[in-house]
Amino acid sequence: MVLEAHLQQAVLLKKVVDAMKDLCKDVNFDCSDKGLQVQSMDSSHVALVSLLLRESAFSEFKCDRPTSLGMNIDSLGKIFKMCGPNDSLKLRWQNDADLVNFQCESSEEDRSADFDLKLMQIEAEHMEIPEQHYKVIAKLPSSEFQKICRDLKEFGETMSMSASKEGIRFSVQGDIGTGNVMLKPREAEKPEERVALTVHEPVTATFALRYLVTFAKAAPLCGMVELGLGPDAPLLVKYDLEYSDKGFMQFYLAPKIDE
């Protein structure tokens, strides 16, 4: 076996696939001794998804040599439907095989389901994501971010975010009027209920809401989401995979520039 990976909670990878499936059709999973990585752009080249599932997230992980496994995201979603909520997952790939094997097993080991998925050849250029120095970093509950995106999507197609020391404001202008949601910094006992802002300088930027709604579907991955904003810079939307030591899933979205 060139690649053998054992994930105690198959549901983690299921959530990752659910968060990607509205953006990407076919993606390369780049496997190395560091873990699994994905970098993929959506078809319109407006959004980029970047995933790192560290080898420490797996109970067992071995990858003898770096390799790229091309998979269809919809097909992966169907495979994960075979997994129960507490199932573990084994992933196996042999040298140069055109199949990758997924095996889901219940915690009592009394039920298992497996599937051999045909691999695909996917032409994809690897993008180096430039190191961004964001003027604003906002951390807020991911459920709240999801609700704001969903609520404001009813009123218009673009959302502007304005962040300053006072807080972060999400605004949308549409045919029927203008809506705003303002979040002020707040402390809470649980980190995932806090709203924290680091503001080097105030920033206002505008983005297509339909992408933000899609990114916000990754909320089940983590109780908290991190937003990175800069003038004329892509928006960063980052979720840790439960804990940061397991890895992260992040999205980048190009801003809408006023014509």
Side-chain angles (χ1 to χ4, degrees):
M1 291 284 169
V2 174
L3 173 72
E4 199 155 346
H6 190 184
L7 200 57
Q8 218 56 57
Q9 293 284 330
V11 71
L12 178 62
L13 208 47
K14 180 182 191 303
K15 288 175 187 170
V16 163
V17 167
D18 285 346
M20 267 198 279
K21 66 173 191 263
D22 292 347
L23 284 171
C24 315
K25 289 206 166 17
D26 306 320
V27 303
N28 281 320
F29 283 80
D30 296 322
C31 315
S32 69
D33 50 10
K34 291 194 184 75
L36 298 183
Q37 272 180 294
V38 169
Q39 256 196 30
S40 180
M41 293 203 84
D42 76 305
S43 54
S44 60
H45 284 250
V46 177
L48 173 91
V49 55
S50 171
L51 167 77
L52 171 61
L53 192 56
R54 297 185 208 278
E55 53 91 25
S56 55
F58 297 88
S59 50
E60 292 166 37
F61 189 88
K62 91 176 197 15
C63 180
D64 295 339
R65 59 182 174 82
T67 184
S68 255
L69 303 177
M71 303 186 214
N72 175 275
I73 290 291
D74 275 346
S75 309
L76 275 180
K78 290 171 185 169
I79 293 172
F80 287 123
K81 284 206 174 103
M82 296 165 68
C83 291
N86 300 313
D87 284 8
S88 66
L89 175 75
K90 282 187 179 135
L91 203 132
R92 293 195 188 94
W93 179 72
Q94 294 186 15
N95 196 7
D96 298 332
D98 55 0
L99 296 168
V100 60
N101 176 260
F102 291 86
Q103 186 179 3
C104 307
E105 196 161 63
S106 66
S107 44
E108 286 77 43
E109 300 187 359
D110 55 5
R111 188 189 77 91
S112 69
D114 76 283
F115 194 86
D116 286 325
L117 178 69
K118 288 182 178 149
L119 291 171
M120 309 168 66
Q121 288 294 328
I122 301 164
E123 286 303 314
E125 71 282 18
H126 198 77
M127 286 116 344
E128 281 306 313
I129 300 169
E131 189 60 46
Q132 298 279 354
H133 298 288
Y134 294 103
K135 298 296 181 196
V136 173
I137 299 274
K139 294 183 177 182
L140 58 146
S142 52
S143 56
E144 212 154 334
F145 179 61
Q146 188 171 29
K147 180 171 170 26
I148 289 168
C149 294
R150 280 182 179 164
D151 290 352
L152 293 180
K153 182 174 78 73
E154 300 299 319
F155 305 114
E157 290 179 358
T158 56
M159 177 163 82
S160 85
M161 296 184 196
S162 308
S164 65
K165 294 265 196 288
E166 281 70 61
I168 181 164
R169 180 192 299 274
F170 303 89
S171 327
V172 68
Q173 282 184 331
D175 300 338
I176 62 170
T178 308
N180 295 291
V181 178
M182 175 79 174
L183 286 186
K184 293 181 177 168
R186 62 165 184 248
E187 276 303 316
E189 279 184 15
K190 293 182 178 166
E192 64 269 19
E193 289 171 7
R194 285 183 200 139
V195 175
L197 283 164
T198 310
V199 179
H200 299 295
E201 66 179 63
V203 173
T204 298
T206 305
F207 303 96
L209 247 169
R210 67 187 184 94
Y211 287 102
L212 297 175
V213 171
T214 304
F215 298 171
K217 285 184 182 164
L221 287 172
C222 187
M224 190 184 72
V225 60
E226 181 179 311
L227 306 177
L229 285 163
D232 304 324
L235 169 75
L236 164 72
V237 180
K238 179 177 178 181
Y239 298 87
D240 286 331
L241 302 182
E242 295 168 5
Y243 311 104
S244 55
D245 57 356
K246 287 191 177 182
F248 56 79
M249 184 165 197
Q250 52 195 23
F251 303 92
Y252 295 89
L253 181 60
K256 286 186 95 69
I257 310 296
D258 292 330
E259 263 73 56

